[in-house]
Amino acid sequence: LLGAGAARLVGLSNAESVAVGAVVALSSTACVLRVLADRAEMDSVTGRTCLGVLLLQDMAVVPLVLLVTMLGDEDATVGRIVVGMGTSALLILCLAGGMYLVSAYVLPRIMRDPTMLRNRELAILLSMVLALGSAWVAHELSLSPAIGAFIAGILLAESPFAVQVRADVGALRALFVTLFFASVGMLGDVAWIIENWILIAATVSVIIVGKTLVTTLVVRLFMPRIRHAAGAGLSLAQVGEFSFVLAQVAFAGGAGVLGEHTFKL
């Protein structure tokens, strides 16, 4: 809400302001967890607080993508947005229900097959097929493929073979994260950044200071010590990887909510 309000004050439209607010509200799960793990603070008060907030933010990506997509409809009204989000939510529930049936009844039988037990690579391939298949089904339902992959990941994490799959793909996690952020970096326009460095510096400063203050004040309501709240606020002050996904959906994903200048910024 504060991000949308700040964007509205600088002259952006209502729809674009809401999209900007949604983008800046998210923090980077990958970066924060990596820093906490390197500092051995995952089980600290600050670490547990950050993890809880980050998990909720990751789950909030689903309704935020739906909201941004609905905002892209030029004829959208409040009623149409509510109906559209309700329809999309119903489709997501159907997709999640189907994936749950597969993970609860079909996947265990496949994984108990002697061939699967002897070949650890088959478990990874099966997980990839489920993730890509869920993303494809989501696309066919006119939903974001990221939502389908997200649902598949949640359900796979609850399967009895999640520990084995995570252990096998752990070595590739850093590679995938690197590829993701490298691809995001390639979206940057160096000439545009140099030309608008003052605007970029001001925007980054406002986001970091604003998110630190907001998070610190909110967490302080539940934490007896200010240092824990301030630590959580500083840890969550950046924008996250899902912010780039959401911005891409708002700009080029058919929604057309963000203008080119705002998207580059």
Side-chain angles (χ1 to χ4, degrees):
L1 289 174
L2 291 176
R8 192 70 183 91
L9 288 176
V10 298
L12 300 183
S13 64
N14 291 331
E16 197 171 13
S17 298
V18 172
V20 169
V23 168
V24 301
L26 303 176
S27 302
S28 176
T29 302
C31 292
V32 175
L33 294 185
R34 181 60 181 270
V35 172
L36 291 175
D38 290 343
R39 294 169 58 89
E41 295 181 355
M42 288 291 296
D43 292 328
S44 65
V45 176
T46 300
R48 293 196 299 269
T49 302
C50 292
L51 180 60
V53 175
L54 290 169
L55 290 177
L56 186 59
Q57 288 184 350
D58 289 345
M59 295 178 63
V61 171
V62 176
L64 289 178
V65 169
L66 297 178
L67 176 61
V68 170
T69 303
M70 293 296 108
L71 291 174
D73 187 355
E74 296 181 355
D75 299 326
T77 61
V78 176
R80 290 189 62 181
I81 291 177
V82 172
V83 172
M85 291 190 66
T87 303
S88 299
L90 181 61
L91 292 174
I92 291 175
L93 288 177
C94 293
L95 176 61
M99 287 296 299
Y100 173 77
L101 294 176
V102 172
S103 63
Y105 298 102
V106 179
L107 186 59
R109 295 186 179 183
I110 297 177
M111 295 295 290
R112 291 191 184 98
D113 185 89
T115 303
M116 295 292 294
L117 295 176
R118 288 194 301 266
N119 297 275
R120 298 174 65 94
E121 295 83 0
L122 294 179
I124 301 176
L125 293 175
L126 180 60
S127 300
M128 293 179 61
V129 169
L130 290 175
L132 294 175
S134 180
W136 176 77
V137 172
H139 176 73
E140 292 297 316
L141 294 175
S142 299
L143 301 172
S144 172
I147 293 178
F150 185 73
I151 293 175
I154 291 178
L155 295 178
L156 285 172
E158 296 298 325
S159 70
F161 309 95
V163 176
Q164 175 186 334
V165 174
R166 278 198 295 264
D168 290 337
V169 302
L172 300 176
R173 185 184 310 166
L175 175 61
F176 289 147
V177 172
T178 302
L179 288 176
F180 174 81
F181 282 108
S183 63
V184 171
M186 292 174 66
L187 296 175
D189 187 341
V190 177
W192 187 90
I193 293 174
I194 296 175
E195 183 180 351
N196 299 272
W197 70 271
I198 296 179
L199 176 61
I200 294 173
T203 303
V204 171
S205 300
V206 169
I207 291 176
I208 292 177
V209 174
K211 292 188 69 174
T212 299
L213 291 177
V214 170
T215 306
T216 300
L217 291 175
V218 173
V219 175
R220 183 65 178 85
L221 298 176
F222 307 94
M223 292 292 173
R225 297 185 178 180
I226 186 64
R227 67 185 183 91
H228 294 149
L234 290 171
S235 299
L236 302 173
Q238 78 296 119
V239 295
E241 54 275 4
F242 278 124
S243 298
F244 298 106
V245 175
L246 193 60
Q248 186 68 29
V249 171
F251 175 65
V257 178
L258 292 180
E260 182 178 1
H261 184 82
T262 306
F263 176 74
K264 288 183 176 181
L265 180 59

